[in-house]
């Protein structure tokens, strides 16, 4: 087996597109800096609503196959080469939005046994030995069953891996500081007449918004803004990126700010020794592996 780079980052996501929206700039930055970036996506998102009218005939497995191609294209934009579907493509089905009958499908991720799925993910952790794992919080950021389940599986897999010999030094949740979200929406509402979307979403529509004090880490991805926007555009069935690349909408057509600085909360492991900043500026800070 070839030797992996010294710095290794693993991100766990529910559907193709979540990684580009939440972490596109972070992933592009670390890939460009020579870190090994591994994305594990738990489902193919085959119950997602499709935006372009000409692609709305895609449903079920056909949509899943299409979204896998979108994911591959998005990762090419970010320079990320190690992309995996948990248990193999199609192993876990999209569970649909919370409260739908889809949630009861025995093949959906929401119904999956957490320990079994976590054991599969733990194999990836033991292979890669990442210093950093990025996951959702216990609400999945916004309550989608697949996101909640991705949280459970990721955290359980970290436990499995620790028992089997690799303790992940740092585990983070995807976050957005409330003040940043509020300021971005204020700007967005002013820009709305020039955007191709009829209305603005609200702060409460953004996954992972928390009080600023909870934020431990801020990754400046300004240099990778174009890569992030291109990756989001690659998910054309799910995301509509506005010209100017400062806003986007999902299938609800509500404008949201496109963040190129991405935020995290350290939930396991030691924060970097205080370098005089309020927040870490590197997910690997303190692990002994620096750029
Ligand atoms: Zn999702």
């Amino acid at each position: 087996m070839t030797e992996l780079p010294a710095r290794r980052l693993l991100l766990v996501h529910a559907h193709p597109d979540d990684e580009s929206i939440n972490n596109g700039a972070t992933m592009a930055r670390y890939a460009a800096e020579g870190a090994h970036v591994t994305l594990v996506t738990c489902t193919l998102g085959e119950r997602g609503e499709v935006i372009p009218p000409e692609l709305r005939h895609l449903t079920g497995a056909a949509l899943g196959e299409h979204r896998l191609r979108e994911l591959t294209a998005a990762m090419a934009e970010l320079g990320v080469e190690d992309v995996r579907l948990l248990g193999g493509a199609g192993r876990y089905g999209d569970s649909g939005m919370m409260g739908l009958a889809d949630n009861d499908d025995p093949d959906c991720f929401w119904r999956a046994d957490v320990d079994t799925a976590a054991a599969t993910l733990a194999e990836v952790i033991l292979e890669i030995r990442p210093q950093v794992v990025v996951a959702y919080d216990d609400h999945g950021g916004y309550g989608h069953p697949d996101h909640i389940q991705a949280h459970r599986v990721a955290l359980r897999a970290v436990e499995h891996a620790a028992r089997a010999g690799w303790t992940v030094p740092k585990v983070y949740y995807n976050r957005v500081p409330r003040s940043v979200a509020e300021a971005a929406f204020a700007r967005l509402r002013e820009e709305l007449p020039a955007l191709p979307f009829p209305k603005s979403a609200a702060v409460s529509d953004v996954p992972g918004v928390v009080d600023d004090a909870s934020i431990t880490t801020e990754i400046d991805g300004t240099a990778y803004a174009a890569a992030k926007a291109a990756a989001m555009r690659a998910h054309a069935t799910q995301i509509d990126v506005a010209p100017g690349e400062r806003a986007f909408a999902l299938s609800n057509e509500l404008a949201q700010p496109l963040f190129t600085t991405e935020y995290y909360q350290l939930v396991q492991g030691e924060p970097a020794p205080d370098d005089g900043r309020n927040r870490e500026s590197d997910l690997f800070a303190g692990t002994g592996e620096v750029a």
Side-chain angles (χ1 to χ4, degrees), residues 16-17 45 48-52 63 67 70 235-240 249-251:
D17 80 350
E49 276 188 53
V50 174
I51 296 173
L63 178 56
R67 291 191 67 178
E70 291 182 338
H235 291 290
T237 61
Q238 306 299 309
I239 306 174
D240 189 354
L250 303 173
S251 61

Side-chain angles (χ1 to χ4, degrees), residues 144-163:
H144 189 295
D146 289 328
H147 287 238
I148 294 171
Q149 190 78 326
H151 157 84
R152 292 172 178 165
V153 168
L155 277 278
R156 191 74 59 85
V158 166
E159 293 174 17
H160 280 259
R163 283 195 296 275

Side-chain angles (χ1 to χ4, degrees), residues 92-283:
Y92 295 108
D94 186 334
S95 310
M97 291 293 186
M98 187 65 92
L100 299 181
D102 297 340
N103 305 164
D104 298 325
D105 184 334
D107 294 327
C108 81
F109 190 45
W110 182 238
R111 292 286 161 204
D113 178 68
V114 172
D115 269 309
T116 304
T120 304
L121 181 57
E123 288 174 20
V124 181
I125 295 176
L126 291 167
E127 176 196 331
I128 303 293
R129 293 174 289 119
Q131 290 92 357
V132 177
V133 167
V134 172
Y136 307 119
D137 65 19
D138 57 1
H139 181 55
Y142 74 113
H144 189 295
D146 289 328
H147 287 238
I148 294 171
Q149 190 78 326
H151 157 84
R152 292 172 178 165
V153 168
L155 277 278
R156 191 74 59 85
V158 166
E159 293 174 17
H160 280 259
R163 283 195 296 275
W166 181 257
T167 300
V168 176
K170 299 176 95 177
V171 178
Y172 290 93
Y173 289 161
N174 294 299
R175 291 300 192 199
V176 178
R178 193 173 307 282
S179 70
V180 169
E182 286 172 352
F185 273 100
R187 190 200 76 215
L188 194 65
R189 281 189 290 271
E190 287 178 13
E191 294 175 356
L192 197 59
L195 293 174
F197 311 122
K199 284 184 186 165
S200 170
V203 170
S204 57
D205 294 316
V206 177
V209 173
V210 289
D211 290 338
D212 293 23
S214 301
I215 306 293
T216 59
T217 312
E218 178 173 333
I219 301 299
D220 181 356
T222 312
Y224 301 96
K228 175 170 181 167
M232 289 174 66
R233 277 214 169 88
H235 291 290
T237 61
Q238 306 299 309
I239 306 174
D240 189 354
V241 178
E245 303 180 339
R246 282 155 57 89
F248 72 98
L250 303 173
S251 61
N252 59 16
E253 296 184 47
L254 300 176
Q256 294 193 39
L258 196 164
F259 296 110
T260 53
T261 295
E262 295 166 341
Y263 301 87
Y264 300 89
Q265 179 182 8
L266 181 69
V267 292
Q268 289 183 27
E270 292 298 315
D274 191 354
D275 63 355
R277 299 171 196 246
N278 289 325
R279 294 173 180 162
E280 297 176 331
S281 55
D282 177 5
L283 296 169

Side-chain angles (χ1 to χ4, degrees), residues 15-17 19 41 43-75 83 85 89-90 94 231-239:
H15 311 110
D17 80 350
E19 78 299 322
T41 302
T43 82
L44 290 172
E46 70 278 6
R47 288 193 159 110
E49 276 188 53
V50 174
I51 296 173
E54 67 276 17
L55 294 175
R56 284 194 193 142
H57 63 280
L58 292 171
T59 57
L63 178 56
E65 281 174 31
H66 187 88
R67 291 191 67 178
L68 182 55
R69 287 195 293 274
E70 291 182 338
L71 180 63
T72 303
M75 293 307 95
V83 183
L85 271 293
D94 186 334
M232 289 174 66
R233 277 214 169 88
H235 291 290
T237 61
Q238 306 299 309
I239 306 174

